[in-house]
Every structure is written in structure tokens, then in C-alpha cells.
């Protein structure tokens, strides 16, 4: 059974790696700054909204790209949403794929779009798994009576 | 019957954004900066809240209670720019500061909004420090 300080060290290492590997950027830190006693679950709430929203967007994108005649404006509109919300929570790698995705939409490049859809889904699943792991670690620390270390 | 604090001291901001995550974020940023916040998911809802429908002269809404309006630029239906236009055309609301937010840094777009009377153009995602500064600079109360 890991001690509180071991868990806290794990948390710091894990968080640092997420930033170093580009999964998260400074915007995630901004979200954490907004969390306080009056709103102790703010980050989890916003990230949960992001997960729900992303899954809808991924479905919408898949449907839109399966149409006989693809409406690239519609596809672009979904990608724009995805780019916005991923950027707002600091999911940097997802946002980066969205940028490329929008370029393919503008070119009406179906192959490019389909590839980006796969990529963005992949990046989304990765960041979702990592954030869920992070939140689990936080819960473990709190349940062991510790506090979540502040990241610089 | 008097209240301890003067309600007018707490600015009331109307935040307009079609993206749910961004709405939640901007609301929190503003609340953390000591503002009362009402959110709207598009331009039409914003105008309805403000009391501006087809006829600008028939005023019946919350416009007088709003100290600032912050709106996203890219929204389906009515863009933030179009919303800004309608607000500036209203005799009742034209002096309410309007801030436009966008994830895209397009100089033409920025100039267009500023020329139309937007107080400020801010790039998303917004940072807490910027919102706090904004609140102190723009809201006179």
C-alpha cells in the first residue's frame, strides 16, 4: 500500500510527464487555478464535459465523412468545435491534429480528413485515459489523507 | 429593508458562446473575478435576454442591468460581430462595453470588431489574469 508521500511523488512525476510529452499545456494549469473551496470539483467537471462533447463530435465527424457527398463546411464546423474545446482544457495534441484537420477540410481532401479523424480519435483516447489516471491518483491521495501537490 | 452591500458593486456580465465548455470556463473566470454572470448560447438568446428583439425602440429586458457583454466571434446563426452591431445600434445598450473573443488571430477580423465599437478583442483560451484586468479596466462600478 503506497504511502501518501509516494502517491504525491507519483502524481508530480505523472503530471510533469504529461506536460513534457505535450498531452497537456499551460491551459490545464489555468483550469486548476480556477478550482477552489467553493468549486472543488471544477477541473473534473469541465473535463467530463469535454469527454462527453468530444464523443459526440467524433460520432458526428464519422457520420459526416461517410456521406456520399461530404459537406466539408459541416465537417469543418465540428472540427472547429473540437479544436476550441480541446484548446480550452489544454489537450494540446488533440488541438494540433484539429489544425491539420481543418486544412484538409478547406482542401476538401477526403483522404486527409479520414486520416485526421483517426488521428484525432487516437489522441483523444490517449488524453482521456491519461486524465482519468490523473484523477484516480488524486482520489487516492485524498483518500489516504494527503493533499494534492501544487504544480509550478 | 436594506441589504448589507450595494448590489451595484458587483458587475453583471452577459457571456455569449455556443461552445458548452467555453461557456462554463468563461463563467468561472468571471465569477472568480467577482462578477455576476449570465450565459447565453447564441446571439438570439443574448438579444432576447437583453430585451432587444426586432424593434429596438420597444425595450423590455435586462439590458440596463448588464455592465459588460463578452461574446465569442464564431457562432452559428449570428456571429459575435453581428451581435456587436445590434448592441451598438441600440440607444439603450450602445454604451455597454462589448468584448469579442476568438480562437483565431485574424487582423482583419480584429480591426473590424474594434472599428464597430468593441472595447477589446481577446484571444482564446482566456487566462484568469486577463479577465481580472479586463474587469477592472472596463467596468465602472
Amino acid at each position: 500500500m503506497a504511502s501518501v508521500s509516494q502517491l504525491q511523488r507519483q502524481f508530480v512525476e505523472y503530471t510533469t510527464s504529461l506536460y513534457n510529452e505535450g498531452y497537456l499545456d499551460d491551459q490545464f494549469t489555468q483550469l486548476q487555478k480556477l478550482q477552489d473551496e467553493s468549486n472543488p470539483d471544477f477541473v473534473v467537471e469541465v473535463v467530463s464535459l469535454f469527454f462527453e462533447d468530444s464523443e459526440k463530435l467524433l460520432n458526428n465527424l464519422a457520420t459526416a465523412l461517410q456521406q456520399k457527398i461530404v459537406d466539408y463546411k459541416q465537417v469543418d464546423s465540428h472540427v472547429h468545435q473540437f479544436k476550441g474545446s480541446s484548446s480550452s482544457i489544454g489537450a494540446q495534441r488533440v488541438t494540433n491534429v484539429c489544425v491539420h484537420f481543418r486544412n484538409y477540410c478547406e482542401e476538401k481532401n477526403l483522404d486527409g480528413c479520414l486520416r485526421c479523424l483517426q488521428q484525432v480519435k487516437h489522441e483523444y483516447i490517449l488524453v482521456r485515459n491519461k486524465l482519468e489516471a490523473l484523477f484516480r491518483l488524486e482520489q487516492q491521495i485524498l483518500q489516504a489523507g494527503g493533499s494534492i501537490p501544487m504544480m509550478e | 429593508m436594506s441589504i448589507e452591500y450595494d448590489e451595484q458593486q458587483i458587475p453583471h456580465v452577459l457571456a455569449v458562446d455556443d461552445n458548452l465548455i467555453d461557456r462554463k470556463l468563461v463563467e468561472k473566470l468571471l465569477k472568480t473575478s467577482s462578477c455576476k454572470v449570465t450565459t447565453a448560447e447564441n446571439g438570439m438568446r443574448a438579444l432576447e435576454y437583453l430585451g432587444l428583439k426586432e424593434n429596438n425602440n420597444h425595450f423590455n429586458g435586462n439590458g440596463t442591468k448588464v455592465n459588460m457583454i463578452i461574446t465569442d466571434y464564431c457562432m452559428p446563426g449570428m456571429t459575435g460581430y453581428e451581435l456587436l452591431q445590434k448592441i451598438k445600434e441600440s440607444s439603450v445598450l450602445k454604451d455597454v462595453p462589448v468584448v469579442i473573443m476568438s480562437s483565431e488571430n485574424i487582423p482583419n477580423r480584429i480591426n473590424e470588431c474594434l472599428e464597430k465599437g468593441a472595447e477589446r478583442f481577446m484571444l482564446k483560451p482566456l487566462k484568469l489574469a486577463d479577465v481580472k484586468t479586463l474587469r477592472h479596466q472596463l467596468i465602472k462600478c
Side-chain angles (χ1 to χ4, degrees), chain A residues 26-27 30-31 34 36 39 42 45-46 49-50 53 80-81 83 85 87-89 102, chain B residues 18-22 24-25 28-29 32 72 74 76 103-104 124-129:
Chain A
D26 182 62
Q27 183 57 21
Q30 290 287 315
L31 281 190
L34 289 171
D36 56 26
N39 219 164
F42 179 70
E45 279 169 18
V46 177
L49 276 178
F50 169 69
D53 196 52
H80 176 80
Q81 283 287 313
K83 177 170 166 271
S85 40
S87 163
S88 292
I89 68 141
R102 292 196 80 190
Chain B
D18 62 307
N19 186 311
L20 177 58
I21 286 105
D22 287 345
K24 187 161 171 98
L25 251 180
K28 187 70 167 101
L29 284 165
T32 305
D72 190 26
C74 280
S103 53
E104 292 163 314
K124 283 165 126 179
L126 301 182
K127 287 187 154 48
L128 182 58

Side-chain angles (χ1 to χ4, degrees), chain A:
Chain A
M1 182 87 152
S3 67
V4 170
S5 56
Q6 276 176 312
L7 288 168
Q8 286 170 325
R9 202 166 40 244
Q10 239 186 304
F11 176 86
V12 171
E13 278 167 12
Y14 195 58
T15 309
T16 306
S17 75
L18 292 180
Y19 283 98
N20 286 346
E21 289 163 31
Y23 287 103
L24 295 177
D25 64 26
D26 182 62
Q27 183 57 21
F28 188 74
T29 317
Q30 290 287 315
L31 281 190
Q32 291 175 314
K33 284 194 182 148
L34 289 171
Q35 186 159 288
D36 56 26
E37 299 87 49
S38 70
N39 219 164
D41 300 314
F42 179 70
V43 179
V44 171
E45 279 169 18
V46 177
V47 172
S48 301
L49 276 178
F50 169 69
F51 290 163
E52 268 174 49
D53 196 52
S54 300
E55 277 158 47
K56 273 189 220 148
L57 284 170
L58 285 168
N59 284 336
N60 290 343
L61 280 167
T63 306
L65 288 168
Q66 276 159 17
Q67 300 306 306
K68 265 194 154 171
I69 300 177
V70 175
D71 179 352
Y72 287 99
K73 270 206 159 140
Q74 180 68 277
V75 177
D76 182 73
S77 155
H78 293 314
V79 181
H80 176 80
Q81 283 287 313
F82 210 171
K83 177 170 166 271
S85 40
S86 58
S87 163
S88 292
I89 68 141
Q92 193 184 67
R93 282 161 72 139
V94 175
T95 309
N96 290 345
V97 178
C98 289
V99 172
H100 295 302
F101 204 155
R102 292 196 80 190
N103 290 338
Y104 285 124
C105 287
E106 215 180 295
E107 292 169 20
K108 298 191 165 46
N109 182 333
L110 183 59
D111 267 338
C113 283
L114 289 169
R115 269 180 287 132
C116 276
L117 177 58
Q118 286 317 303
Q119 248 187 306
V120 83
K121 191 170 179 183
H122 176 73
E123 289 298 342
Y124 163 70
I125 290 170
L126 279 176
V127 80
R128 187 190 63 196
N129 290 345
K130 288 178 188 291
L131 285 169
E132 284 176 342
L134 191 68
F135 293 149
R136 271 196 303 271
L137 248 179
E138 281 185 350
Q139 280 310 300
Q140 281 181 285
I141 294 172
L142 293 172
Q143 272 156 25
S147 60
I148 315 293
M150 291 298 251
M151 300 298 298
E152 285 303 306

Side-chain angles (χ1 to χ4, degrees), chain B:
Chain B
M1 265 231 298
S2 64
I3 312 168
E4 251 344 92
Y5 59 85
D6 182 358
E7 266 203 355
Q8 284 309 308
Q9 299 291 352
I10 302 172
H12 184 183
V13 182
L14 174 65
V16 192
D17 200 318
D18 62 307
N19 186 311
L20 177 58
I21 286 105
D22 287 345
R23 255 196 328 277
K24 187 161 171 98
L25 251 180
V26 78
E27 182 183 44
K28 187 70 167 101
L29 284 165
L30 289 164
K31 280 185 172 164
T32 305
S33 307
S34 315
C35 295
K36 175 180 160 195
V37 187
T38 299
T39 58
E41 59 187 20
N42 58 49
M44 280 311 301
R45 295 272 162 92
L47 290 178
E48 273 167 27
Y49 181 78
L50 293 166
L52 289 182
K53 285 205 183 160
E54 288 94 40
N55 187 352
N56 275 350
N57 294 326
H58 187 69
F59 191 73
N60 182 23
N62 299 290
T64 46
K65 304 182 201 149
V66 168
N67 301 106
M68 183 175 88
I69 297 161
I70 181 164
T71 177
D72 190 26
Y73 182 93
C74 280
M75 296 189 292
M78 190 189 300
T79 65
Y81 178 78
E82 287 160 352
L83 177 59
L84 167 67
Q85 254 180 318
K86 295 228 164 17
I87 292 164
K88 291 303 170 188
E89 281 163 15
S90 155
S91 48
V92 185
L93 293 177
K94 63 181 169 57
D95 293 325
V96 177
V98 180
V99 173
I100 311 270
M101 316 178 263
S102 176
S103 53
E104 292 163 314
N105 190 350
I106 300 172
N108 279 349
R109 175 182 292 183
I110 299 173
N111 289 334
E112 201 183 43
C113 290
L114 294 176
E115 272 164 33
K116 204 62 187 177
E119 281 294 329
R120 201 134 322 171
F121 188 97
M122 292 173 81
L123 279 181
K124 283 165 126 179
L126 301 182
K127 287 187 154 48
L128 182 58
D130 296 335
V131 176
K132 281 187 168 168
T133 307
L134 182 71
R135 178 246 180 277
H136 286 111
Q137 286 176 349
L138 290 194
I139 305 176
K140 287 124 188 143
C141 66

